[in-house]
Amino acid sequence: MTARPIIIDCDPGQDDAINLLLAFSSPEALKILGITTVAGNVPLNLTERNARLMCDIAGRHDAPVFAGCDRPLERELLTAEKIHGKTGIDGVDLVAPRQPLEAQHAVAFIVETLRAAEVNSITLVPTGPLTNIAAAIETDRTILDKVQEIVLMGGAMREGGNQSPSAEFNILVDPQAADIVFRCGRPITAIGLDVTHQVLGTPQRRDRIRAIDNDVARATVGMLDFFDRYDTAKYGSLGAPLHDPCTVAYLLAPELFKGKHCNVSVEIHSELTMGHTAVDFWHVTDRPRNALWMHSIDADGFFELLVNRLDRFSHA
Ligand code: BDR
Ligand code: CA
């Protein structure tokens, strides 16, 4: 099997961080061309630092890390320290990362990489606000031909919003960017709260990860234990949702997911419902089916995959 070339665009964030570790676990399937970071859960200087720390923890220094946009295209930055803690990855022992930060801007890296790529060859995996991806598209629309697929975490239909009554965090932080991405014309797989709220890090599931004797699993469970506090209180559920790792899990095991091709349009005008993803699930409009909207997941299968892949680091 040839490894699929991907760029992970993220705002770590415990769940973004775990998504990076999951991606690092599977080099036979995924070739990480670069990790691009954006302001979101915490400011940019912390998201790029956190991404670099994950490279160290995974012992993988072959994927360069870039810092990108430090604020949304048009709106003020909204952060989420109350969920992720001051550092964005509370639950991990913080040390200065050894993995360097590349000098190039993340948007320039995305544009340059896509320009040099074959048509239809690169998968973008955004797990934060879509600012960097939209900025790259706005810089040079000819790069779109090179995109095979965009597999993103964002949006909500049945679940309602987690950052406002109508909107999911990643979309609400930069709705203008999300609007550009959802209208870009390339295949989009959208994994929103309808799916991620089914993927709960219950105590039993966390204990399975705790039982794995390696640094990557220890970091994962530390982050999940922290992440759990806020979400369990908020949703009254049995564990925090693992939002972002659903993206890489989809690349590794698409059979775990079920979805439907729909139109997804982003609200960018009404302040009340700003960032809402209007999903035309029942095809009641003629709007083009621009996304594969995921609605369900085999959550036990997801955790089986996560546990198996984290265990790989014990034998690396
Ligand atoms: C998304 O928002 C962030 O808090 C998480 O990292 C995830 O990407 C969930 O709404
Ligand atoms: Ca994220």
Side-chain angles (χ1 to χ4, degrees):
M1 190 200 329
T2 333
R4 180 173 181 167
I6 65 172
I7 296 174
I8 302 181
D9 185 69
C10 56
D11 64 335
Q14 287 88 352
D15 57 333
D16 303 78
I18 295 167
N19 194 43
L20 290 175
L21 297 174
L22 183 59
F24 282 137
S25 76
S26 304
E28 78 294 348
L30 302 175
K31 178 168 174 44
I32 308 172
L33 302 177
I35 299 168
T36 54
T37 57
V38 66
N41 285 321
V42 285
L44 183 68
N45 64 318
L46 300 185
T47 60
E48 58 87 349
R49 188 269 321 263
N50 295 347
R52 291 189 290 132
L53 199 53
M54 291 307 121
C55 301
D56 289 1
I57 290 173
R60 285 280 301 276
H61 295 104
D62 52 315
V65 178
F66 303 83
C69 299
D70 64 1
R71 70 191 66 152
L73 296 183
E74 295 180 20
R75 293 169 68 86
E76 292 288 304
L77 176 64
L78 190 78
T79 54
E81 284 86 355
K82 71 173 188 240
I83 302 170
H84 298 274
K86 266 208 187 79
T87 67
I89 51 169
D90 279 27
V92 167
D93 292 337
L94 275 178
V95 292
R98 278 177 291 124
Q99 167 86 19
L101 180 67
E102 301 297 318
Q104 192 178 27
H105 192 282
V107 173
F109 167 75
I110 295 169
V111 170
E112 186 181 290
T113 306
L114 288 169
R115 275 183 185 152
E118 311 242 308
V119 169
N120 207 18
S121 64
I122 308 242
T123 297
L124 303 177
V125 189
T127 62
L130 289 156
T131 321
N132 286 341
I133 307 295
I137 295 171
E138 294 285 83
T139 303
D140 180 358
R141 293 195 73 84
T142 68
I143 61 173
L144 281 168
D145 279 359
K146 314 299 182 68
V147 175
Q148 183 189 357
E149 187 179 357
I150 301 174
V151 178
L152 64 87
M153 190 283 137
M157 181 184 72
R158 297 203 169 105
E159 282 293 291
N162 62 354
Q163 188 65 29
S164 80
S166 317
E168 181 277 329
F169 179 80
N170 289 340
I171 308 296
L172 182 59
V173 173
D174 200 339
Q176 282 73 23
D179 177 51
I180 290 168
V181 171
F182 274 100
R183 288 189 300 102
C184 77
R186 298 306 297 157
I188 294 177
T189 297
I191 304 176
L193 301 181
D194 297 0
V195 165
T196 65
H197 281 182
Q198 299 172 37
V199 184
L200 303 179
T202 61
Q204 295 82 347
R205 287 167 171 164
R206 295 206 300 277
D207 283 347
R208 285 194 64 198
I209 299 173
R210 213 181 307 279
I212 304 171
D213 186 23
N214 67 46
D215 289 344
V216 174
R218 277 186 281 276
T220 301
V221 90
M223 290 191 278
L224 282 179
D225 284 346
F226 179 86
F227 206 27
D228 185 57
R229 289 175 218 169
Y230 176 86
D231 282 287
T232 300
K234 180 173 176 190
Y235 300 111
S237 60
L238 284 172
L242 273 83
H243 305 285
D244 296 336
C246 288
T247 56
V248 165
Y250 173 72
L251 295 177
L252 297 175
E255 66 281 2
L256 296 175
F257 294 77
K258 287 206 178 77
K260 189 167 166 182
H261 288 279
C262 303
N263 178 269
V264 179
S265 299
V266 179
E267 175 60 61
I268 52 169
H269 300 297
S270 151
E271 211 34 64
L272 178 65
T273 54
M274 183 64 70
H276 174 65
T277 39
V279 180
D280 187 3
F281 197 75
W282 301 114
H283 303 145
V284 295
T285 72
D286 293 332
R287 292 197 279 265
R289 297 177 191 189
N290 59 343
L292 175 60
W293 178 257
M294 291 301 180
H295 54 78
S296 52
I297 180 169
D298 168 359
D300 286 334
F302 169 93
F303 277 95
E304 214 45 55
L305 176 77
L306 183 64
V307 166
N308 288 338
R309 296 299 162 114
L310 294 178
D311 189 46
R312 284 182 168 186
F313 289 97
S314 310
H315 317 285

